[in-house]
Amino acid sequence: MKKLLLTTIIVLGMTFSLMVNMKNSVVVLGSNNQEEPKDKIVFEGFNLNQSASTDEIQEEVSENGSDIVTVQVQFDYEFASDIRNRISRRTNIDLFIAEQRKQMKDFHLKMNSYLIQELGLEGYENVYPSSYAPFVDFYFEKDVFIQNSEEIVGEIIDDENVSLAYIQNSEEYTDTNIYTAINTIGAYEALVSNEVSGDGVTIGVLENSGIVERKHPNLVGSNLTVRDEWWFSETISSHATMVASVIGGNTGIARDSRLLSVQLVSSPKEEIDWMLDRGVNIINLSWGDLDSTGVYSSQSAYMDYIVRTTFVTIVAAAGNNGTTSKFITNPGLGYNVITVGASNSTGNYRDDYSSYLKQIGPSKPNIVAPSGFTVPNITTILSGTSFAAPIVTGSIALIMESNPELKVYPEKVMALVASSAKMMSMHPTIGIEGYNEEVGAGLFDYKKTVENIPTTFGYINSTGVSGIYKQVYLYVEYGQSVKASVAWLLNSNNTTTIKLTDYDLRLFDPTGRPVASATSSHNNIEVVQYTAHMPGYYRLQIIQNGALANGSDWVSLSYSIR
């Protein structure tokens, strides 16, 4: 009932905003006839009736199911609009149709996005929410559906917002598209409603394979600057074009951002200089060293220096050595670099090729993001950490548009994405720094990152006093989960000599008892998480161990409550 009431409130808010322009529009929630619980389920293409047991469903799907099982959910709301009585001889019919459909699309995308989250189905390979109707298609691999059929059917039956669900024996299935990845990280609603678009943010695409194809349909007409001079040996690269198509352009996440494309010829210094001269805010590095040994190198040290001194945010791919050496590639071993591993497209688990080990350097990856999807006008499936990284890069650009101060606080961005990341049930174990070995802080969560900006703080520490540096109090209800991170920048002096202050992060419950801590000495980020065993004011404490390694440290603390 609470979900129904909450949905009603949201719908009424949406209705008011839409009815400003559509006086005769009507939104009806719960308009369909409510069926008995089991009657919500309709089987199509299977020899099953609505009273089928879990065992019968599993047996039928196992014997006769296609590789993909589609669950088409019809939500119990309606948006009725017939404003044709406003049409006159002066009415521009094409404009009338365009405006009407835009309003319908905005409404349905917002409602479907919200109700997908409320329904909470897990394990699907792809999802497609209708833009003009209360229907959403969830695509499950056959074996996954069989293993989870009881939970899937149970969630549908229990959800008061679901009118009907059609479980279909799919004959055809299209590859996962970028919108599935965008939905996985919680950015779907913001993107399709044009709340943000990366406007005012400049993103550099530095690629060792070449420069983007300016005439590609995904980039034609976009705000793009390419270094393509006769004195450089630069070539057009399909890899660079695909990375840019995920970040922005006409098909990516931050479509109004400015893109800079430059090829890495040898050392990245000249290319980084070129981008800094053009006001770059975020640099995407979807490449890494060959035959990585997992050892922090001068390439990573250079990136660390650039972040600390120019305040640019750098996002790098973790590498694709997960089935071989497992080593993270440089420059992804940079302390001040946000290193991104790859999950499957729906964020359930780390893709096996995604790198996660190091020998000398910080714990990596910082986070993971979806990979293995398609974008328009490109036939290749974009699989690999090369395409997980630009998901994060484009999303950070959206956040910077609304919060431009983040353009000069890369340590805040680092802390923010770590505290907001979603833990993954298949990767529950954490180390002394608060990271899971394979996925770091977890799955990048755009929506939670935006929500946590008010609980992200920046400090400058120049006291050099060992002991308690900062304390923050936060109220937590029983059963809520707290996740917090502290991040600060390494001073590399452009060498592999490490100058890193040692900070720890601790969480105390309302009685003053310590309940979580992150105490590594080799990282510049610490993460704690805890599920509250009692309500009250909890205390986060930043501890400085020993002297400052630099003259001063910019330190950021961020926390989230779920």
Side-chain angles (χ1 to χ4, degrees):
M1 190 64 191
K2 288 182 179 178
K3 286 200 294 185
L4 189 60
L5 179 59
L6 181 58
T7 306
T8 304
I9 294 170
I10 289 176
V11 172
L12 289 174
M14 290 178 178
T15 306
F16 179 78
S17 64
L18 289 172
M19 288 180 67
V20 170
N21 296 315
M22 298 174 62
K23 295 180 181 178
N24 296 327
S25 301
V26 180
V27 179
V28 183
L29 184 68
S31 61
N32 297 315
N33 293 326
Q34 290 295 322
E35 306 288 349
E36 292 299 318
K38 267 287 187 179
D39 292 341
K40 284 187 176 183
I41 307 298
V42 178
F43 295 96
E44 295 182 339
F46 292 111
N47 187 24
L48 293 167
N49 58 41
Q50 291 174 310
S51 62
S53 67
T54 300
D55 288 343
E56 290 171 332
I57 293 171
Q58 292 174 343
E59 182 179 357
E60 170 67 12
V61 174
S62 177
E63 292 180 0
N64 300 311
S66 302
D67 291 340
I68 296 295
V69 176
T70 302
V71 178
Q72 182 187 123
V73 172
Q74 179 181 350
F75 288 118
D76 192 21
Y77 74 87
E78 220 179 289
F79 184 84
S81 172
D82 191 344
I83 56 172
R84 288 171 292 180
N85 58 348
R86 293 167 52 186
I87 297 175
S88 68
R89 282 181 290 183
R90 297 179 180 179
T91 301
N92 182 319
I93 296 298
D94 290 337
L95 182 60
F96 174 87
I97 293 171
E99 289 177 350
Q100 165 79 351
R101 290 179 183 172
K102 181 181 183 303
Q103 291 164 349
M104 294 289 289
K105 185 175 183 178
D106 288 347
F107 174 80
H108 283 98
L109 287 175
K110 287 181 179 179
M111 280 298 298
N112 287 341
S113 179
Y114 168 73
L115 293 174
I116 287 170
Q117 300 296 323
E118 285 293 290
L119 179 57
L121 292 186
E122 296 182 350
Y124 50 85
E125 186 67 19
N126 195 4
V127 60
Y128 181 80
S130 171
S131 298
Y132 295 98
F135 288 89
V136 176
D137 290 345
F138 297 88
Y139 300 94
F140 292 85
E141 292 181 355
K142 177 180 177 179
D143 291 343
V144 174
F145 178 85
I146 292 171
Q147 293 168 10
N148 298 282
S149 57
E150 185 173 5
E151 291 80 5
I152 293 168
V153 172
E155 290 283 352
I156 291 169
I157 289 174
D158 291 341
D159 195 315
E160 296 175 341
N161 296 321
V162 174
S163 174
L164 288 170
Y166 302 86
I167 299 178
Q168 301 166 333
N169 195 1
S170 307
E171 295 300 326
E172 297 181 359
Y173 176 68
T174 57
D175 291 319
T176 300
N177 61 50
I178 191 172
Y179 285 100
T180 297
I182 291 169
N183 185 68
T184 296
I185 63 170
Y188 188 87
E189 182 179 337
L191 187 64
V192 299
S193 63
N194 294 317
E195 292 175 9
V196 282
S197 59
D199 188 31
V201 182
T202 300
I203 304 171
V205 181
L206 176 58
E207 286 280 311
N208 61 357
S209 60
I211 55 176
V212 303
E213 182 184 347
R214 279 176 288 200
K215 295 182 179 180
H216 194 279
N218 292 359
L219 299 168
V220 167
S222 63
N223 191 351
L224 172 65
T225 302
V226 179
R227 191 186 75 171
D228 186 12
E229 307 291 350
W230 64 267
W231 57 86
F232 289 107
S233 57
E234 290 169 314
T235 57
I236 293 175
S237 161
S238 60
H239 188 271
T241 302
M242 290 188 286
V243 168
S245 296
V246 175
I247 293 173
N250 304 320
T251 55
I253 294 174
R255 299 184 183 185
D256 287 332
S257 64
R258 180 190 181 197
L259 296 180
L260 306 176
S261 173
V262 58
Q263 181 176 351
L264 175 66
V265 178
S266 55
S267 165
K269 296 177 180 61
E270 190 169 354
E271 287 75 26
I272 296 290
D273 288 350
W274 183 84
M275 289 188 286
L276 290 170
D277 286 344
R278 285 155 181 78
V280 71
N281 306 122
I282 314 167
I283 298 175
N284 187 90
L285 309 174
S286 286
W287 50 273
D289 54 358
L290 298 175
D291 302 319
S292 175
T293 61
V295 175
Y296 180 75
S297 76
S298 60
Q299 203 169 63
S300 289
Y302 169 72
M303 298 299 174
D304 283 339
Y305 182 83
I306 289 297
V307 173
R308 182 177 172 88
T309 57
T310 70
F311 319 126
V312 68
T313 293
I314 295 182
V315 179
N320 301 326
N321 301 321
T323 58
T324 53
S325 71
K326 300 179 175 56
F327 287 138
I328 298 284
T329 56
N330 288 288
L333 279 169
Y335 288 78
N336 302 340
V337 172
I338 298 173
T339 305
V340 184
S343 75
N344 68 317
S345 61
T346 51
N348 304 111
Y349 53 82
R350 177 187 67 87
D351 269 332
D352 59 359
Y353 58 77
S354 183
S355 300
Y356 61 91
L357 288 185
K358 54 88 181 177
Q359 292 197 81
I360 299 174
S363 299
K364 295 285 181 171
N366 298 86
I367 52 175
V368 297
S371 182
F373 49 82
T374 61
V375 295
N377 306 309
I378 293 174
T379 57
T380 306
I381 296 176
L382 277 54
S383 182
T385 58
S386 285
F387 304 109
I391 288 284
V392 175
T393 297
S395 298
I396 291 174
L398 300 184
I399 297 166
M400 284 184 175
E401 177 188 349
S402 301
N403 305 273
E405 70 280 1
L406 292 177
K407 294 177 181 179
V408 291
Y409 290 106
E411 70 279 4
K412 278 191 177 183
V413 180
M414 292 169 61
L416 186 57
V417 298
S419 69
S420 308
K422 188 184 301 182
M423 281 304 296
M424 303 164 72
S425 58
M426 295 185 67
H427 303 282
T429 307
I430 58 175
I432 59 172
E433 73 286 275
Y435 275 4
N436 174 269
E437 181 183 48
E438 299 183 19
V439 299
L443 179 70
F444 176 70
D445 188 336
Y446 168 84
K447 187 174 183 180
K448 199 65 178 175
T449 302
V450 172
E451 291 174 359
N452 292 342
I453 288 171
T455 56
T456 301
F457 313 97
Y459 315 103
I460 182 167
N461 181 16
S462 55
T463 64
V465 178
S466 184
I468 298 173
Y469 171 58
K470 287 290 180 184
Q471 297 191 109
V472 172
Y473 289 82
L474 52 151
Y475 189 85
V476 187
E477 296 283 1
Y478 168 78
Q480 287 185 318
S481 295
V482 179
K483 189 171 187 178
S485 64
V486 60
W488 62 104
L489 298 181
L490 167 82
N491 185 358
S492 73
N493 286 336
N494 203 15
T495 73
T496 54
T497 301
I498 305 301
K499 295 182 66 178
L500 183 65
T501 307
D502 181 16
Y503 294 97
D504 292 338
L505 184 60
R506 297 174 183 170
L507 178 68
F508 297 83
D509 72 9
T511 69
R513 181 173 66 94
V515 291
S517 62
T519 58
S520 70
S521 59
H522 64 281
N523 273 359
N524 62 328
I525 187 163
E526 306 278 8
V527 181
V528 297
Q529 49 194 323
Y530 183 71
T531 301
H533 64 284
M534 61 186 301
Y537 282 96
Y538 286 69
R539 175 165 45 103
L540 283 167
Q541 190 178 84
I542 304 173
I543 306 292
Q544 178 186 324
N545 297 310
L548 286 171
N550 310 291
S552 61
D553 284 328
W554 284 94
V555 180
S556 179
L557 174 69
S558 179
Y559 70 83
S560 67
I561 301 173
R562 294 180 185 265

